[in-house]
Amino acid sequence: MTTPTRTPTPARGAAPAAGSRPATGLRRTARYATLVALALVFLTPLVWMVITSLKTYTGAQQIPPTWLPSPVSGYGYEQILNNSANPVLRWFLNSMLAATLHALLVLATASMAAYALARMRFRGRGVLFALIVGTLFIPPTSLIIPNFLIVDELDWVDTLAVVVVPGAASAFGVFFLRQFFLSLPRELEEAAVLDGASQWQIFWKVVLPLSKPALATLAVLSFLTNWNDFLWPIFVLFSPEMLTLPPGLGLLQGAYNTDYPVIMAGAVLASLPVLVLFVLAQRHIIQGVSRSGLKG
């Protein structure tokens, strides 16, 4: 009987087989090329927006279009800053205030509800969580008329409260933070109980400080949702000075002509807070997203 031959395993530290290193290099090159191509796809519209905002009115109408503005002009930004009929800076401040207050309200309501659903034991907890998650499947447009009737009874129409408070009880925020809270070790809370901490002290001094990545992620997402909201402000804001940026920028386009430098300058102004916010919070966003789905 012949004994089966065993292929010798390479010793630790031995050189890789011939051809493996070039293959690894090709894969790395292909990966980088794909990432560069995707970056170009996403960055090209932003670059074109900035370039168009620096063109003159006639330069933006040229066919075929040119990449570089010749001459470089601040016409679009001058029209935005000096146009009393369309107070873009007022719209910008309205959007900043509304989006910031909305994000803070979402953090307050979602964090407390998520902590109760993740850590407290009470009858019907699972059913309540299922109902909250189930609201995510309701189309937001179907709630416009009921929400309008409610805010009209509260006399909030044409005020900033009407774009801040509705939607502050975020079902997605509750789901997102609950998943993050479940991933936190219970031993820390048990140690706090032994030290005499109350439930509120555990939530405020133990859970929330450990949840900064998830809270930062939810704050950014809530800010962006409110900042980009176009449909709801159209229904509830009527005065030109009370408008937010998305519906306000729509007024910059005329019925018979389109002033592209002015529109693109407004778009640049609307994009700056979003880009700055993401750059400042990207580390927390990555940590929050990577940890929120570890435990269900």
Side-chain angles (χ1 to χ4, degrees):
M1 179 180 294
T2 59
T3 58
T5 59
R6 179 178 299 176
T7 304
T9 58
R12 181 176 299 178
S20 61
R21 185 166 297 174
T24 303
L26 289 175
R27 284 195 296 268
R28 185 180 294 111
T29 302
R31 188 182 301 116
Y32 287 150
T34 303
L35 293 176
V36 170
L38 289 175
L40 290 176
V41 169
F42 287 104
L43 290 177
T44 299
L46 296 177
V47 174
W48 181 257
M49 175 183 67
V50 176
I51 290 175
T52 306
S53 70
L54 297 175
K55 292 182 178 180
T56 61
Y57 178 80
T58 56
Q61 303 288 339
Q62 288 182 358
I63 294 180
T66 57
W67 269 101
L68 296 179
S70 179
V72 177
S73 173
Y75 159 76
Y77 297 96
E78 292 175 359
Q79 292 296 316
I80 281 182
L81 298 177
N82 300 323
N83 191 342
S84 58
N86 297 316
V88 178
L89 289 181
R90 177 63 183 268
W91 300 341
F92 179 85
L93 294 176
N94 290 343
S95 289
M96 283 292 296
L97 182 60
T100 302
L101 293 177
H102 177 79
L104 293 177
L105 279 177
V106 169
L107 290 181
T109 58
S111 61
M112 289 187 285
Y115 179 74
L117 293 170
R119 288 294 192 251
M120 295 183 180
R121 303 291 180 183
F122 55 89
R123 183 176 299 177
R125 183 181 66 164
V127 175
L128 179 60
F129 179 67
L131 290 175
I132 292 175
V133 174
T135 60
L136 293 173
F137 298 94
I138 301 176
T141 53
S142 65
L143 301 176
I144 289 180
I145 294 179
N147 286 338
F148 180 84
L149 295 176
I150 293 173
V151 297
D152 185 49
E153 289 293 329
L154 295 173
D155 200 21
W156 285 356
V157 175
D158 205 25
T159 66
L160 280 183
V162 79
V163 291
V164 173
V165 179
S170 171
F172 171 77
V174 174
F175 170 77
F176 181 78
L177 291 181
R178 175 185 176 272
Q179 298 304 108
F180 190 91
F181 291 163
L182 288 175
S183 68
L184 298 177
R186 286 183 175 271
E187 289 78 7
L188 297 175
E189 299 173 46
E190 294 172 356
V193 171
L194 294 177
D195 289 338
S198 64
Q199 199 75 52
W200 173 257
Q201 290 174 327
I202 294 173
F203 169 71
W204 185 256
K205 296 183 178 181
V206 178
V207 175
L208 289 186
L210 293 174
S211 306
K212 289 180 180 179
L215 295 174
T217 303
L218 182 60
V220 171
L221 295 177
S222 303
F223 183 94
L224 293 180
T225 300
N226 188 277
W227 181 268
N228 295 323
D229 193 7
F230 177 81
L231 187 61
W232 175 247
I234 287 180
F235 280 89
V236 294
L237 298 177
F238 307 116
S239 304
E241 64 274 7
M242 294 306 301
L243 289 177
T244 54
L245 263 180
L249 293 179
L251 299 178
L252 298 179
Q253 182 172 348
Y256 303 103
N257 63 339
T258 302
D259 199 338
Y260 290 109
V262 174
I263 294 176
M264 291 303 176
V268 170
L269 185 65
S271 302
L272 285 178
V274 176
L275 296 176
V276 171
L277 183 63
F278 179 76
V279 170
L280 295 177
Q282 61 177 337
R283 180 171 60 88
H284 296 294
I285 292 174
I286 295 173
Q287 293 178 359
V289 172
S290 62
R291 290 192 57 185
S292 294
L294 292 181
K295 190 175 181 181

